[in-house]
Every structure is written in structure tokens, then in C-alpha cells.
Amino acid sequence: MITKSIVKIEQINEIALDTIEMKLKTPISLEEVNPGQFIHVRIGSDHAHQLRRPISIADLDKVNQIMTIVFKIVGSGTEILARAKVGEELDVLLPCGTGYPIDKLEVPKALLIGGGIGVPPLYYLAKQLVEKGTEVTAILGFQAKEHVFYEEKFKALGNCHVVTNDGSYGHQGFVTDVIDIESPEFDYFFSCGPTPMLRAVSTKLENSNGYISLEERMGCGVGTCFACVIPVPGSATDYKKICSDGPVFEASEVAL
Amino acid sequence: MSNLAVELPGLSLKNPIMPASGCFGFGREYSNFYDLSRLGAVIIKAATGEARFGNATPRVAETASGMLNAIGLQNPGVEKIIAEQLPFFRNYDTPIIANVAGSTIEEYELVAEAISNSPDIAAIELNISCPNVKEGGVQFGTDPVLASEVTRRVKAKSKVPVYVKLSPNVTNIVDIATAVEAAGADGLSMINTLTGMQIDLNARKPILANKIGGLSGPAIKPVAIRMIYQVKQHVSIPIIGMGGITTAEDVLEFLLAGSSAVAIGTANFQNPLICPEIIEALPAVLKKYGFSSIQDAIGKGHEHATANISRT
């Protein structure tokens, strides 16, 4: 169940250009939090910013109740968040949304495909999968060398291929180009990133089992406002709410 | 009777605080955060005759002290709302106000009749002011003749009191308010969102897929206060006020302007506990400003007025 909590910033690192990693100490147990879920963060303490920001969970230390989040500075809200100091407190709703249902799946081999700020939730997913004995291959896509992060962390868990759009680091091109080149074997793919990337991945891997995690502008973050809906294939009126039914869906479950 | 209680047509409110339509879904999600029985009432998401999918995404954008939305009245249709959503509220001791929308007067009549027949509904909020749909909505709310006609015909079909939700996107709000009062409205609900727009500098295009959306949040509060103050001088039916309320002090300001109760919209997104927190804070704020009850404060902002403010 979602709780409104006050969390304390324990650590802040800039891990790539405009990309901030924060470690947050939570007052509540993280036992029930799954990979792929997100937190909804209030910006500031006055009324200047009316909408919270959804930020995915990159890692969890359940024993010490430390949550790691990673976000990119894209506007005034995330800029304010990035300027926060160690020791400050944040007002968050957690955990929001559904995660990757890996407890229900048999996954000997997994392919993880992340794009930009879609990479962080796949890291905690990769850790959980490896703990279950899954062999993990990751393809991480970024715009350019200065945006690359978490490569070493993924390499510590399995195969990891980095691709940049401009070719300044790793492969040159898109994550789908790496799928063509490497032809990795997998039982399920798990992908998170911008919608055009998810569309390309879902199309290329349409005959495979897979889960995707969607990004969208959100209002409430809990399912009341209908801001972040996505159509269901073959229906004019059926939809899923990304914040509460998702952000993780089976790749065939939604119409991208 | 508690000093927070208010009696309105069809509504015995234990306090004047209710979540606004479209900002609270059908109540289930926020019931995880607190007991909905604490609320004065709940105004549920708009119902139309058939299911509507609404507009393309992105549907929301943040602005300075506000937000734009262009949801587009997405809802499962009135019959499904009656069958699948309303029974949930039987778990709670709070009146439910149904927001009714349509593309034609006939659709408004159909939805109002169907939903007002439900024993779960205490009143209707007639939505003639949604800025985000191509047909219906605001076209009825910006023309006094059409507003009057839809009010009269919905009143004839409804089994419960009808509160007409007014659009601020008009030259003369008093003309619309007096027209719907004359047509039999039991109360007014004001204001709906102001039309607005925001352009993404990088993408060089409007952020909302619908381009234009409805502006809400603290940014519109002065407009709401002005319109309620203005309308209060010309109507005798009660007003449910809304538009950027985030504190108990804001509630008092709406009461002084002439509201008898208030709805909280956008602020629920920033703080899901905003409604119970304001209810908790209200008695002390009333006391601080010298009022013994909600009833005591309603319209008191008009006492020192020497003349009516301009109708426009």
C-alpha cells in the first residue's frame, strides 16, 4: 500500500551529465517494494510546484531501509530536487505502481534493455534476477558518452553492452542495433526507457515474452486523475493507467 | 451541531470540505490514505452517457503555482459508474455528488436521470464548463440561453438537487449565474478551470497533446474569489467555491467571498492528505479570525462593500 513518508537524504552523487543519484533513508520497511516501482516526490515545501515527480527506484538496501533513486535534471522541478543537500528531508509517496513480476516467472536468461533514465530501475531488477539464478544480459542506451552511467554495476552482474546515439562511447546507434549485432539468447526481455525506444524494442521482439516500463507525465501518481493513461490494443475505450496499473506492463498489453 | 457543519440543498455536510470532480477519481485510491467519512462530501469524476477515452497524452503540465490538464472527461459511462463505482461509497458516511457531462442536452438529461435515480447520489454537479472536450461542456456554459436550457431540462429529469458548475472563460459570469438560477438551479459550483497553454522550449510545441488545457491550482485563486464575490451579489442560491484552495485560510477566504462550501482539486495531487488536514485546521482558523462557525463566515466579505462591483 502507498504511504506518504518523509525520507532523509543520505547521499547525493552526480553520476553522469545532469544525472543525480540519491540515497534516501526511509522510516518504513521496504520489504514489499519490487523492482520497477517508483516514488512520487514533492518539489519544495510551498505551492510553487503543484505536481510531484515520479522517480524510479534504482536500488534498495532493505536491511538498512536505504533507497537509491536516479533522476535527470530536465526542468525546474528536478533542478530544485538536485540542489537539495545531504540531511534534508523529502516528502514522498511510496511505493507507487506495479513492478516487474519476477516472482511469478521462470527466467533462466533475461535480456534487460534500458534507455537513458530508464536504466536505473533495471539495475535493481538485474540484482533481483541474479539472486534468483538468472543469467542477465544488459543493453544500455545513452545519447552520448557523458550521459553513460551504471556500466560497471551491470558488468558486475552479467554481460553489458553500452550503445550511444552519437557513437562517442560503446556501440554507435540504438539499442535495437545491438540486439541485431549480439543476438542475445533470453527467455524474457525487460525494458524501460522513452516510448519510441520501447516501441522499437517491442516491435523487434514481438514474438518474445517481455515486459516494458513506461514513462509519462503524471498528475496524482496514484490512479485518480487519468492523466497518464495508455490504450489497450484493439479497443477504442479500454485503457491502463501508467501510474497505478503500471508503469510495468506485458509488452503486448498496451498499444504504444 | 458542529461549528463546521453546513446545510445545503440535498446536502447535510459535517464540514464544508469536499474533493473536486476529476481530482479524486471514484474515491478508492485516496481511501488508502484516510477515512473518506471525514470529508464533507465527495464530488466524483464526470459521467457521460457512453464511455469516453479522453484526449491523447501528455494530458498534464505544471505551470507556476498551477497545472494545466486536458484529460477530456475520460470515464466508463454512467451505467458502469452506477453499477461498479457508486456502491463503494456505501462503506463511508459522506454524501456523493455526481458530476454530469454530455455532448448534447439529451445526453445531459439521460445521464442526470440515470444517476439521480441511484440511492447513492445526494446531488448533481452539472458540468457545463469542461474546456477539454470538442462537443458539449463549455459551449453550454458560455451562453446564458444554452446554460439556462440545459439547467431547466436537467432539473426536470433529476431526482436530486442540481448545482451548476460555471466556467470562468466568459466575459460576464453574472449573466450565466443569474440565467441558471432563473432556470431552477439549486446551487452553483464555481469555478471550473481557466483555459491556458504552455509551450516546450526544446520541442518548440505545446506540451499538452490537446494543445490547450484547463489551468487550476493556486494561480487561479484570485480569479475564483473575484467571480464568487461578484456572483454572490446577484444570486440567492448557495455557491460551492473552488479554485486553488490549499489551506484552511483559503477556505475562509472563499467563505467570505460568498461560498457556502468548497472543493479542493489540484492540491490533492501535491498532498493526498490535504482534505483531512484542512478539516483539522479549520476550527482554529475560524476562531483566529473571529468566527464561531462556518455558517457565521459565509458571505461576510460583503459586509463592508459600499457598492456592487462591476458585473463584468
Side-chain angles (χ1 to χ4, degrees):
Chain A
M1 198 166 84
I2 303 172
T3 312
K4 183 172 177 290
S5 286
I6 301 298
V7 300
K8 191 173 173 187
I9 302 172
E10 296 268 312
Q11 217 182 87
I12 305 172
N13 306 305
E14 186 165 1
I15 55 172
L17 180 67
D18 291 337
T19 309
I20 307 296
E21 178 191 70
M22 261 185 197
K23 293 191 183 298
L24 307 171
K25 174 86 173 171
T26 69
I28 60 168
S29 167
L30 300 175
E31 276 309 316
E32 303 299 318
V33 181
N34 295 313
Q37 289 189 289
F38 66 95
I39 63 173
H40 213 31
V41 186
R42 180 169 173 174
I43 304 298
S45 56
D46 60 13
H47 298 304
H49 290 79
Q50 286 293 297
L51 296 181
R52 289 170 178 261
R53 301 296 191 274
I55 299 177
S56 52
I57 296 164
D59 199 5
L60 289 178
D61 171 353
K62 292 184 177 179
V63 175
N64 295 303
Q65 294 184 183
I66 303 282
M67 167 184 293
T68 304
I69 60 169
V70 174
F71 61 93
K72 195 165 181 180
I73 302 170
V74 290
S76 70
T78 39
E79 202 172 309
I80 288 170
L81 199 56
R83 282 204 303 265
K85 301 277 183 283
V86 169
E88 281 183 30
E89 292 179 330
L90 299 176
D91 175 337
V92 305
L93 307 183
L94 89 138
C96 296
T98 60
Y100 293 97
I102 55 172
D103 288 345
K104 297 176 192 158
L105 305 175
E106 277 298 311
V107 193
K109 290 182 179 178
L111 175 62
L112 275 50
I113 308 154
I117 211 64
V119 166
L122 296 182
Y123 178 61
Y124 184 55
L125 173 69
K127 279 178 73 174
Q128 295 295 102
L129 285 168
V130 168
E131 203 166 280
K132 282 167 54 100
T134 300
E135 190 182 306
V136 169
T137 299
I139 301 172
L140 311 180
F142 301 94
Q143 286 175 328
K145 184 181 179 182
E146 61 265 31
H147 296 111
V148 176
F149 62 90
Y150 275 20
E151 181 186 9
E152 294 306 317
K153 282 174 171 276
F154 276 92
K155 277 189 170 159
L157 297 170
N159 294 320
C160 176
H161 308 279
V162 172
V163 53
T164 51
N165 296 156
D166 67 356
S168 54
Y169 189 78
H171 294 272
Q172 196 268 320
F174 298 102
V175 291
T176 42
D177 297 326
V178 180
I179 298 173
D180 286 335
I181 296 164
E182 301 289 337
S183 301
E185 283 183 25
F186 63 93
D187 303 286
Y188 282 88
F189 72 88
F190 302 91
S191 189
C192 183
T195 303
M197 186 202 89
L198 295 177
R199 194 178 293 126
V201 166
S202 299
T203 304
K204 181 167 280 298
L205 303 178
E206 66 181 340
N207 297 318
S208 306
N209 294 314
Y211 287 84
I212 56 174
S213 179
L214 301 178
E215 298 173 354
E216 185 55 85
R217 283 174 183 267
M218 292 181 186
C220 65
V222 299
T224 67
C225 77
F226 294 70
C228 60
V229 298
I230 185 155
V232 167
S235 169
T237 54
D238 288 349
Y239 59 89
K240 298 282 181 183
K241 297 176 190 172
I242 291 174
C243 70
S244 53
D245 297 325
V248 174
F249 296 99
E250 271 192 80
S252 58
E253 196 181 356
V254 289
L256 291 172
Chain B
M1 194 162 95
S2 147
N3 70 342
L4 293 187
V6 189
E7 288 292 327
L8 297 177
L11 299 166
S12 288
L13 306 177
K14 59 175 86 76
N15 63 65
I17 306 300
M18 51 188 92
S21 180
C23 300
F24 210 72
F26 297 103
R28 289 172 201 272
E29 292 82 4
Y30 286 120
S31 71
N32 290 325
F33 289 93
Y34 59 89
D35 178 1
L36 302 188
S37 299
R38 295 171 68 182
L39 297 167
V42 174
I43 311 177
I44 58 174
K45 189 161 172 53
T48 53
E50 301 296 325
R52 286 200 193 189
F53 184 77
N55 296 320
T57 55
R59 293 175 168 188
V60 291
E62 188 177 70
T63 60
S65 295
M67 67 173 275
L68 289 165
N69 90 81
I71 307 295
L73 297 182
Q74 180 159 25
N75 80 96
V78 66
E79 292 302 337
K80 275 197 173 175
I81 289 173
I82 292 168
E84 297 171 10
Q85 302 296 342
L86 297 185
F88 168 76
F89 292 106
R90 292 176 196 161
N91 300 318
Y92 302 97
D93 172 29
T94 191
I96 304 306
I97 302 172
N99 185 287
V100 167
S103 298
T104 61
I105 291 186
E106 289 72 25
E107 186 180 0
Y108 276 108
E109 288 181 307
L110 180 151
V111 177
E113 183 168 27
I115 209 155
S116 71
N117 272 323
S118 162
D120 301 312
I121 292 298
I124 280 175
E125 179 178 66
L126 183 60
N127 184 353
I128 56 169
S129 45
C130 177
N132 295 324
V133 290
K134 286 194 178 71
E135 292 175 339
V138 77
Q139 78 186 59
F140 291 101
T142 50
D143 175 342
V145 176
L146 275 177
S148 169
E149 175 72 359
V150 69
T151 302
R152 187 180 59 75
R153 285 175 54 178
V154 163
K155 266 295 290 178
K157 297 283 184 186
S158 176
K159 311 289 188 296
V160 296
V162 175
Y163 292 75
V164 182
K165 187 166 186 177
L166 302 187
S167 169
N169 303 305
V170 294
T171 310
N172 191 332
I173 187 105
V174 173
D175 281 354
I176 308 279
T178 51
V180 302
E181 181 182 37
D186 296 284
L188 300 173
S189 176
M190 57 188 292
I191 57 174
N192 207 320
T193 54
L194 289 151
T195 48
M197 199 168 168
Q198 192 177 38
I199 295 173
D200 183 320
L201 302 186
N202 286 314
R204 303 180 184 186
K205 63 176 188 179
I207 290 178
L208 298 178
N210 196 49
K211 296 188 178 72
I212 292 172
L215 179 65
S216 61
I220 73 164
K221 201 191 88 182
V223 179
I225 294 290
R226 184 266 289 179
M227 289 189 158
I228 291 164
Y229 189 93
Q230 211 173 7
V231 165
K232 180 69 178 173
Q233 295 179 329
H234 297 277
V235 302
S236 55
I237 51 176
I239 299 169
I240 299 172
M242 63 200 73
I245 295 172
T246 61
T247 64
E249 285 81 359
D250 290 344
V251 174
L252 180 56
E253 192 177 343
F254 273 77
L255 296 173
L256 297 180
S259 308
S260 296
V262 298
I264 317 283
T266 307
N268 287 289
F269 303 159
Q270 191 189 49
N271 177 9
L273 298 171
I274 191 76
C275 288
E277 286 180 6
I278 287 179
I279 293 165
E280 189 84 10
L282 256 179
V285 169
L286 285 176
K287 191 174 171 196
K288 178 181 175 186
Y289 291 94
F291 296 101
S292 58
S293 68
I294 295 297
Q295 205 62 48
D296 186 26
I298 297 168
K300 286 297 194 302
H302 293 257
E303 285 188 346
H304 301 293
T306 52
N308 286 351
I309 57 173
S310 159
R311 286 169 70 89
T312 55

